[in-house]
Amino acid sequence: MNSRKRSGSGSKRQLKEKIVQIYESFFKGDDLTRLNPNFWDELFLLKPKVSHLENEILRLNEEQLLAAKENINCLFVQCIETLGNDHQLRIVYALQTLCAITSAVYKTSGQCGFDVIDILLGFDTAEQRMKLLLNHCNNLLSGESPPNLKSLCLKLLLLMVTGNDNVSQNTLLEFVMLNSVFETLIQLLCDTLSRIHHGHDVVLLLTLLINYRKHESANPYIVKLSILDDELALNGYGQVISWSLSEFCRPFSQDQKEPQSGNWFSSLSNIIGNMFLSEDTGTRNQQIRANNGVLVALYEAVHLNRNFVSTLAQTQAEVTAPSETEPVPEPTNLLGTFFQYCSIVMQDTKCEASQNTVKLCFVVLTCVAEDHYANSVMHDVNLVFKIHLHRLPMRHRYIISEKPSQTLANTLLDLLVEFVMSHMMKKLPLELYLLCVGVMHRVLCYQKRCKVRLIYQWKELWASLIALLKFIITNEAHLAKKMNVFHLAHQVINIFNLFITYGDTFLHSPANYDELYYELIRMHQVFDNVYSMAYRYSAMEGEFKDTALKLTNSLVNVRAIINHFTPKIDAWLAGQGLSTPTEEQILEVVRKSYDSLTLKLQDSLDQYERYTENPRHSAFFTAMVRNVVSDTRQSIDFATLDLQSILQEFSTIT
């Protein structure tokens, strides 16, 4: 009994596995091929211990790394050559080994200051060897290789692309620019099964390659994506994004369907869940950033490819995510899913990470709102969807009942109104408000330009903008010291001016136009106070003097309307002996007094500065892509391998 116990307790020294012994000898600089000419053939029949291989490299200091460089280089090259082998298990093991070496060398070279190209490939032969590697990758991804093998191949490419936090400083990618894998990746998106297995990795890979020195030189991936007109590929790209965003939205939709207790705080907890209320800031930020990779992918496609816009509103043929078997009850599309996603992430703007995600959403919406075709689709009355937008419960408003199927333009305006109403806080997210109001303005400009008479509850939009102006006035002392709220107020007044000047050409009925005037007159005190505030700041020296002067001048027609109708309404009330008239009575006075109203023609109300990424937003996207690179690198799992599944795939293909 005792002897067995001693034996089983590990008193005897445990023998090391053969592959581990090889790794240890290899990184000491030993030449293992000298005594065994078949060393490489035998090596790739041994299952790699990837964690041990990584650790062996990471353990090397600068001097040891330099001594082991030749062996690392040799191992890397032998792995590349094995990718062309007929024995597919050898290919799998070679890919796993390549992943481990690439991952470890990037980390080690960063610490020791060595160029990753020199460690992996050697400067003199780097171009030739990378060309061979990428050729093999193209062959493996485009052929009838099993899904597990293709997945490993994509993981290797992702490891290479995410090796440096700043993708533009990743010198290895220069070779990926010269030897394109674009066409191969696109073909994976065209095939339904490949898209389900590999779509997410493919879209992430394309997105990161697009961001390699995108403003410095001709990036072939940017050029190829911008001219891509393969409808199957573009739909596949969009479906991958739609799947990811739908997965994110699904828990929130389920929370909404559960019976509510009626308590406003309980509703808040149910809708937002632990995501935004968690005290663990790190976890919360990680959840908010979870979909930023596909969000950047959506931005790049919308921004670069005019053809992609046609897929935004196309009803999804494949309405289930890869892991789901239950169909989505309502037909949907990428744009509708994106609106729902925006409504969730826009509920929280408290930390920088979540603010960046919301900004990215608004930038995408800006690009969409500037596109003529996207607008025509969004305003198409024959294309309606029931899209559930998530609204932040507030004590001062009732829970809004779910809206019926409507145009995408209606849903977009609902989303923008919701943001305006739910983010009035002392730490005002000014940039987000400017982007939000900018999207609203672009949609209205399209309606004016194309004379589209959208059936919409315009009172809700006007009320939200007036509430924002009132908030700015109330918090002027605090806000005006920290930010240019005059610019935001000017943008808001310009939207009202657009309605005043051109509303008769795009509002659905004359009654809408009458209601606009009614709201301006009813809330005249707010506009009077905005004018007083702007006039004060325009009359004194200060940082915001010029913007305050613009705001003052932009109020000329609003003030003219108020000053014209108010005396007439007062006189009518006195004549009728009324103190509390109905809305219809006021509107009747308004209708009879239009003819005598004189307004000033204001220029450029339907003009806006078109969106450009560089230079205004280039730093923002550099930071966003850096985060995506970091998150992607940490999520790559090349060590877990279901060998039984792989062998079964091989036998099926054979």
Side-chain angles (χ1 to χ4, degrees), residues 399-640:
I399 294 177
I400 302 170
S401 59
E402 193 169 322
K403 293 197 175 184
S405 296
Q406 57 181 5
T407 70
L408 290 164
N410 285 67
T411 303
L412 174 56
L413 290 173
D414 286 344
L415 175 68
L416 300 174
V417 167
E418 174 62 21
F419 181 85
V420 171
M421 290 300 295
S422 58
H423 290 80
M424 288 178 250
M425 55 191 81
K426 288 206 170 179
K427 195 176 179 181
L428 190 74
L430 180 66
E431 184 181 21
L432 299 183
Y433 264 106
L434 287 170
L435 287 166
C436 176
V437 173
V439 175
M440 196 181 288
H441 181 233
R442 284 161 172 77
V443 172
L444 294 171
C445 286
Y446 170 81
Q447 294 175 11
K448 178 262 174 186
R449 188 166 58 248
C450 298
K451 295 182 172 54
V452 176
R453 297 186 183 275
L454 186 71
I455 300 176
Y456 187 71
Q457 293 294 323
W458 293 110
K459 272 188 178 181
E460 293 180 9
L461 186 145
W462 298 329
S464 70
L465 295 178
I466 291 170
L468 177 58
L469 292 174
K470 189 175 181 180
F471 175 81
I472 291 172
I473 297 159
T474 304
N475 296 277
E476 170 210 329
H478 168 73
L479 295 174
K481 291 177 183 176
K482 297 188 173 185
M483 60 188 75
N484 191 352
V485 288
F486 304 97
H487 181 42
L488 175 58
H490 179 248
Q491 297 291 83
V492 170
I493 296 299
N494 270 351
I495 286 181
F496 279 107
N497 285 330
L498 190 66
F499 278 107
I500 292 166
T501 309
Y502 301 111
D504 59 332
T505 67
F506 68 86
L507 286 171
H508 185 254
S509 69
N512 290 143
Y513 199 66
D514 298 340
E515 288 168 353
L516 168 66
Y517 276 64
Y518 176 80
E519 289 302 311
L520 293 174
I521 297 161
R522 187 175 71 87
M523 302 302 293
H524 70 90
Q525 191 66 53
V526 174
F527 295 98
D528 290 342
N529 290 340
V530 171
Y531 179 80
S532 298
M533 177 186 73
Y535 185 79
R536 273 188 289 110
Y537 280 85
S538 66
M540 61 186 186
E541 292 301 320
E543 183 182 356
F544 306 131
K545 177 177 180 176
D546 291 343
T547 319
L549 184 59
K550 281 184 183 178
L551 176 56
T552 305
N553 294 334
S554 70
L555 280 158
V556 59
N557 282 342
V558 175
R559 298 185 75 233
I561 290 167
I562 293 168
N563 293 335
H564 174 77
F565 287 102
T566 303
K568 295 183 183 299
I569 292 168
D570 290 343
W572 184 85
L573 291 174
Q576 298 293 318
L578 293 172
S579 58
T580 54
T582 65
E583 181 178 337
E584 186 53 41
Q585 288 172 325
I586 297 295
L587 285 173
E588 187 59 32
V589 177
V590 168
R591 292 186 194 105
K592 290 179 179 177
S593 306
Y594 276 133
D595 291 345
S596 55
L597 173 66
T598 303
L599 297 176
K600 183 180 178 182
L601 185 63
Q602 293 178 305
D603 297 327
S604 305
L605 293 176
D606 59 345
Q607 302 295 315
Y608 51 82
E609 183 182 351
R610 289 193 66 84
Y611 171 81
T612 53
E613 180 182 322
N614 192 33
R616 182 180 295 181
H617 300 288
S618 54
F620 167 74
F621 276 102
T622 298
M624 287 300 296
V625 171
R626 185 185 288 263
N627 288 335
V628 172
V629 166
S630 175
D631 294 344
T632 302
R633 183 174 60 239
Q634 291 174 32
S635 69
I636 298 171
D637 177 17
F638 54 87
T640 306

Side-chain angles (χ1 to χ4, degrees), residues 384-396:
V384 294
F385 295 92
K386 190 174 183 179
I387 299 163
H388 184 76
L389 297 182
H390 299 260
R391 292 176 168 86
L392 195 65
M394 298 180 188
R395 280 179 289 181
H396 64 271

